[in-house]
Amino acid sequence: MIWYPYAQMKTIETPVKISSAKGVHLYTENGHDLIDSVSSWWSVIHGYNNSEINDAIKEQLDKFAHVMLGGLTHDPVQNLSDKLAVWLPGDLDYCFFSDSGSVAVEVALKMALQFNTNRGSDRNIILALEHAYHGDTFKAMEVGDDEDYHFAFGSSNEKKRGVIHIPTEIPALEDAFGKYADRMSCFIVEPLLQGAGGMRMYDVSFLERARQLCDENDVLLIFDEVATGFGRTGNRFVADIVLPDILVLGKALTGGYIGHAVTVANRRVWNGFLSDDPTHALMHGPTFMGNALACTAALKSIELFERGNYLEKIKHIEEITRRELRGFSSDKIKEIRIMGGCVCIEVNDENDLVGFQKYAYEHGVFSRPFLKYMYAMVPYIIEEWELVKILDVMKSWYNS
Ligand SMILES: Cc1ncc(COP(=O)(O)O)c(C=O)c1O
């Protein structure tokens, strides 16, 4: 029996069975052609079944699929870490690989906390954002602020001890630094776009002020760009405009082919672990870190991203989305938000989205709204007519 994600297994609707996929199209077992508006949880940026990524993986597969990084290394992981070091901004050069975004967030937090203990400081408060989502593992849940996902574990202050959540407002940020800065190890954010917490968008000035305050108070700034990285906000990375000390990437890292993630530290964080004292080492090591097939897919995905002028593609997606939604409204809608390759229609009452997934399916679109949020995060290779179709289906729901 498969235990499906985020689902009450007693009442779950039968998932749609996919038998093949190409570009932005998912083909179901019973002959439906669905345009995918979700990019398989925002990861499949080049669409499905990309022949270049397929070929790269097949070539590596003939050499080996995986060897552990404990005591061994290989070209795909070395090439990917070299590529990220030159491709990512500033001195974000030190790559710790892992198998999922949640684990990469755990690693980032571990780095920040141990960076302090290694230098004899007992800073152990973590600053985070209201409505944050950083994954489903335990520390990621603690820095997260979304009881819609993690209600089963309660929201007691006891559980969140050591984590302070603030809204994305500069006065609240300044206030938190005023109160806690000398005990704070790090500030973790999903920059500009908070995904699973409701596709909430905020201004870069908040991040600029956060950078200043972190510098002034010796606090590490962590960007969780698992969702926002690789162009989703219209920027290649938000880290290109405000530089964090630690950057977390996942999802689109491999073009959505194979679960993999990376926690990238700057030189200062890296230096904080170099020591003759063995207890200063970072004690973490996922079995599949640096998996050779995943690294190969990631290298090819980055090559496609660069070669295909993806930032222009994303700009075009944003322009079409704005054009198609201009003037659109309904009394059920609270707000329409658009940023780069993300559009979200927030409704006033989540009951107003009940049935939309089925409606979209019947109209040839795969969608997966959650709570009060109907959204699209499409693969960047989408054609204009395909995107317009998705947006038409979203709009027509309100008149159905
Ligand atoms: C911002 C952010 N961080 C972390 C994660 C967790 O990534 P994974 O599902 O690969 O563990 C997600 C997943 O949606 C995410 O959106």
Side-chain angles (χ1 to χ4, degrees):
M1 188 73 190
I2 299 170
W3 203 327
Y4 284 94
Y6 305 121
Q8 171 47 260
M9 293 305 297
K10 189 171 176 188
T11 52
I12 187 174
E13 286 194 23
T14 311
V16 177
K17 194 164 184 185
I18 299 303
S19 51
S20 67
K22 181 77 188 159
V24 298
H25 296 260
L26 300 169
Y27 300 102
T28 71
E29 189 186 40
N30 53 6
H32 269 274
D33 171 354
L34 299 173
I35 300 179
D36 180 12
S37 68
V38 184
S39 305
S40 279
W41 271 328
W42 329 334
S43 65
V44 184
I45 55 174
H46 312 290
Y48 298 92
N49 214 343
N50 178 286
S51 58
E52 289 192 63
I53 305 181
N54 289 358
D55 289 345
I57 291 175
K58 284 177 198 160
E59 200 182 317
Q60 177 56 38
L61 189 57
D62 282 338
K63 297 177 192 155
F64 60 91
H66 179 68
V67 296
M68 64 193 266
L69 276 198
L72 302 174
T73 193
H74 51 82
D75 279 343
V77 74
Q78 286 190 341
N79 294 340
L80 179 57
S81 120
D82 290 350
K83 178 67 195 177
L84 289 171
V86 291
W87 205 51
L88 295 175
D91 61 349
L92 288 165
D93 291 349
Y94 303 91
C95 299
F96 192 99
F97 293 98
S98 53
D99 32 27
S100 73
S102 304
V103 174
V105 165
E106 300 281 335
V107 171
L109 296 170
K110 234 185 196 187
M111 275 180 187
L113 293 170
Q114 196 182 339
F115 174 81
N116 280 295
T117 52
N118 280 359
R119 63 180 180 166
S121 152
D122 62 356
R123 290 168 176 248
N124 54 16
I125 289 182
I126 297 172
L127 189 63
L129 293 179
E130 287 177 3
H131 306 291
Y133 177 87
H134 295 288
D136 296 336
T137 53
F138 269 88
K139 198 71 192 170
M141 286 199 292
E142 281 181 30
V143 292
D145 174 42
D146 212 317
E147 299 313 323
D148 291 315
Y149 292 89
H150 303 135
F151 47 81
F153 301 97
S155 59
S156 69
N157 291 336
E158 182 57 25
K159 191 200 78 172
K160 302 242 181 219
R161 199 171 29 149
V163 182
I164 311 282
H165 289 100
I166 56 165
T168 50
E169 290 158 14
I170 291 176
L173 176 68
E174 291 173 341
D175 187 49
F177 270 83
K179 285 191 185 129
Y180 307 109
D182 58 342
R183 287 186 288 142
M184 223 186 263
S185 64
C186 62
F187 180 27
I188 182 166
V189 296
E190 292 162 87
L192 293 188
L193 169 64
Q194 296 183 281
M199 306 298 170
R200 292 160 198 269
M201 298 166 189
Y202 62 93
D203 196 74
V204 70
S205 56
F206 179 84
L207 297 174
E208 287 163 349
R209 185 72 183 119
R211 180 67 274 177
Q212 278 172 353
L213 289 167
C214 284
D215 286 343
E216 284 164 23
N217 294 284
D218 199 9
V219 172
L220 295 175
L221 182 60
I222 303 176
F223 278 6
D224 173 355
E225 293 219 50
V226 168
T228 57
F230 300 96
R232 193 52 72 183
T233 65
N235 306 285
R236 197 180 60 135
F237 301 98
V238 183
D240 287 329
I241 19 179
V242 175
L243 190 63
D245 301 292
I246 300 175
L247 173 66
V248 186
L249 302 175
K251 292 190 185 284
L253 173 68
T254 64
Y257 261 67
I258 300 173
H260 223 64
V262 63
T263 310
V264 190
N266 69 6
R267 189 168 311 116
R268 180 159 169 260
V269 172
W270 166 265
N271 283 339
F273 287 77
L274 297 183
S275 166
D276 293 323
D277 182 343
T279 68
H280 286 194
L282 181 64
M283 298 307 284
H284 210 98
T287 302
F288 291 105
M289 70 183 292
N291 172 270
L293 298 180
C295 291
T296 301
L299 278 162
K300 188 52 79 178
S301 171
I302 292 171
E303 186 191 318
L304 294 177
F305 192 96
E306 284 187 297
R307 186 160 31 93
N309 205 1
Y310 270 52
L311 290 181
E312 278 305 308
K313 288 192 204 306
I314 296 158
K315 210 165 136 198
H316 194 47
I317 289 172
E318 178 168 348
E319 281 164 5
I320 295 168
T321 308
R322 288 194 188 281
R323 184 191 74 207
E324 293 300 310
L325 287 171
R326 194 166 300 133
F328 177 69
S329 69
S330 152
D331 53 10
K332 292 181 182 151
I333 295 175
K334 183 174 174 201
E335 190 177 49
I336 299 180
R337 297 187 279 274
I338 301 169
M339 182 186 277
C342 174
V343 51
C344 174
I345 300 180
E346 178 175 347
V347 295
N348 292 309
D349 179 350
E350 65 182 78
N351 289 318
D352 286 335
L353 294 184
V354 173
F356 174 65
Q357 186 163 354
K358 186 159 177 277
Y359 174 85
Y361 174 85
E362 283 160 0
H363 290 79
V365 168
F366 177 67
S367 175
R368 195 176 145 92
F370 60 99
L371 305 167
K372 291 192 267 178
Y373 314 104
M374 170 193 279
Y375 77 95
M377 289 217 207
V378 295
Y380 302 146
I381 49 105
I382 196 163
E383 298 283 339
E384 179 161 348
W385 73 268
E386 295 162 328
L387 178 56
V388 169
K389 178 162 176 183
I390 291 173
L391 296 167
D392 280 350
V393 169
M394 290 167 78
K395 286 190 288 186
S396 65
W397 168 251
Y398 295 95
N399 303 319
S400 64

